[in-house]
């Protein structure tokens, strides 16, 4: 009877939608540490001062203030994991250099936003944080398909890390890699309304990713959604019906914090101190 019920459910568009959206069994209790403090987006940073984004100084400031940390990781040409957001150095370092085409040594010759800080390796960043606050690690790959080395190297750094952490990505293949290869790691899907963002994606990919229809595939422990689109139907269903842990990014002032706090379990902030 259960099998027949599921079959009938799959034959309806609404039923198929709900099945694809279902994130699976919840491990929400393991995400409680992320709910007890706000999460500093790229650390507590000021790009016009001595502690720019994704720098060791920004992470120290977050730890000292008791905030959790969200950071970005990418892979260099020589297969080193670095903490850096952009796929090139134009904005952060004023250099026309691609992150993935550079060695770690070359990247560290550039200063972050004219400060004395350099692009840190992931290992150095983890050594700075030392398990003192929860860490959200966003994996970024410039190529949709070439992500295996990034996942393996990042996982290798985290295998010996003694602290609370989780991983997340916009790329569902990255999240799926961790489901298969590090099922014990907490993992999350990152999403936004891709129809309203300048994303170089086909209509079908925008539809699938906006509506989180890879949940059946990645089985995320949390859904991190752009707070501007918090009322998006799939985001609402995941939070209200499936009770998945909901993470809101990125809160930039007290007004947004009040709104986000009424819906999201975990809040990521920058540009102010809540």
């Amino acid at each position: 009877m259960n099998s027949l019920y599921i079959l009938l459910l799959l034959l309806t568009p609404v039923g198929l939608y709900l099945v694809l959206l279902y994130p699976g069994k919840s491990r929400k209790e393991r995400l409680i540490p992320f709910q007890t403090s706000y999460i500093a987006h790229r650390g507590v940073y000021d790009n016009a001062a001595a502690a720019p984004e994704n720098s060791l100084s920004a992470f120290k400031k977050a730890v000292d203030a008791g905030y959790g940390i969200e950071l970005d990781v990418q892979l260099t040409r020589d297969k080193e994991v670095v903490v850096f957001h952009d796929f090139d150095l134009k904005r952060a370092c004023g250099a026309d250099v691609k992150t993935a085409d550079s060695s770690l040594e070359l990247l560290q010759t550039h200063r972050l936003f004219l400060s004395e800080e350099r692009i840190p390796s992931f290992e150095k960043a983890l050594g700075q944080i030392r398990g003192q606050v929860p860490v959200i690690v966003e994996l970024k790959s410039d190529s949709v398909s070439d992500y295996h080395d990034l996942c393996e190297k990042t996982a290798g750094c985290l295998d010996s890390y003694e602290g609370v952490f989780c991983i997340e990505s916009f790329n569902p293949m990255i999240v799926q890699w961790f489901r298969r290869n590090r099922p014990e790691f907490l993992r999350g899907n990152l999403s936004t309304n891709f129809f309203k963002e300048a994303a170089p994606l086909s209509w079908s990919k925008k539809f699938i990713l906006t509506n989180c229809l890879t949940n059946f595939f990645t089985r995320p422990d949390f859904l991190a959604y752009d707070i501007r689109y918090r009322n998006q139907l799939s985001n609402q269903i995941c939070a209200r019906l499936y009770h998945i842990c909901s993470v809101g990014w990125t809160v930039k002032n007290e007004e947004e914090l009040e709104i986000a706090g009424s819906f999201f379990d975990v809040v990521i902030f920058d540009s102010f101190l809540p």
Side-chain angles (χ1 to χ4, degrees), residues 40-240:
H41 187 231
R42 307 178 197 171
V44 174
Y45 73 86
D46 183 345
N47 287 340
E53 65 183 59
N54 277 329
S55 68
L56 296 181
S57 293
F59 300 148
K60 183 179 186 304
K61 291 180 69 174
V63 169
D64 290 345
Y67 294 123
I69 294 170
E70 183 270 355
L71 54 81
D72 309 281
V73 296
Q74 298 187 52
L75 204 62
T76 64
R77 185 187 63 204
D78 51 345
K79 306 301 182 184
E80 296 289 341
V81 185
V82 293
V83 181
F84 196 68
H85 178 269
D86 299 355
F87 292 126
D88 62 59
L89 274 61
K90 292 178 183 178
R91 181 181 66 93
C93 304
D96 190 10
V97 176
K98 285 193 173 182
T99 313
D101 292 342
S102 305
S103 66
L104 173 60
E105 182 180 8
L106 177 60
L107 289 176
Q108 292 185 331
T109 64
H110 297 278
R111 293 188 296 162
L112 287 169
F113 296 95
L114 301 180
S115 72
E116 294 304 313
E117 290 289 318
R118 311 287 169 153
I119 298 172
S121 69
F122 187 37
E123 289 185 337
K124 281 192 175 180
L126 292 177
Q128 174 77 62
I129 301 166
R130 299 195 322 275
Q132 297 172 87
V133 296
V135 181
I136 299 177
V137 181
E138 179 185 345
L139 285 84
K140 302 177 71 70
S141 176
D142 198 13
S143 169
V144 174
S145 58
D146 185 18
Y147 57 88
H148 293 89
D149 287 344
L150 172 63
C151 292
E152 289 177 358
K153 293 289 186 176
T154 302
C157 292
L158 291 168
D159 282 337
S160 58
Y161 181 64
E162 297 182 0
V164 176
F165 68 88
C166 62
I167 66 94
E168 65 178 10
S169 183
F170 283 105
N171 185 345
M173 299 304 296
I174 288 177
V175 184
Q176 166 64 3
W177 187 96
F178 279 89
R179 180 191 175 192
R180 293 186 62 185
N181 295 281
R182 294 294 190 282
E184 70 276 17
F185 285 12
L186 292 170
R187 59 187 179 270
N189 286 344
L190 266 166
S191 193
T192 184
N193 187 330
F194 287 94
F195 290 103
K196 296 186 178 181
E197 301 299 312
L201 299 170
S202 65
W203 185 93
S204 59
K205 287 182 178 178
K206 287 182 178 181
F207 181 82
I208 290 169
L209 295 175
T210 297
N211 287 284
C212 311
L213 298 182
T214 63
N215 282 359
F216 81 100
F217 177 66
T218 60
R219 290 293 190 246
D221 296 293
F222 63 93
L223 178 61
Y225 218 90
D226 190 330
I227 64 166
R228 295 173 296 170
Y229 312 118
R230 61 189 174 279
N231 292 323
Q232 199 276 337
L233 179 61
S234 293
N235 185 49
Q236 290 282 333
I237 291 174
C238 283
R240 306 301 188 193

Side-chain angles (χ1 to χ4, degrees), residues 25-57:
K25 185 179 179 181
S26 172
R27 297 192 289 183
K28 198 171 184 178
E29 70 285 348
R30 287 185 55 194
L31 286 156
I32 290 175
F34 295 90
Q35 301 176 40
T36 58
S37 65
Y38 296 119
I39 309 297
H41 187 231
R42 307 178 197 171
V44 174
Y45 73 86
D46 183 345
N47 287 340
E53 65 183 59
N54 277 329
S55 68
L56 296 181
S57 293

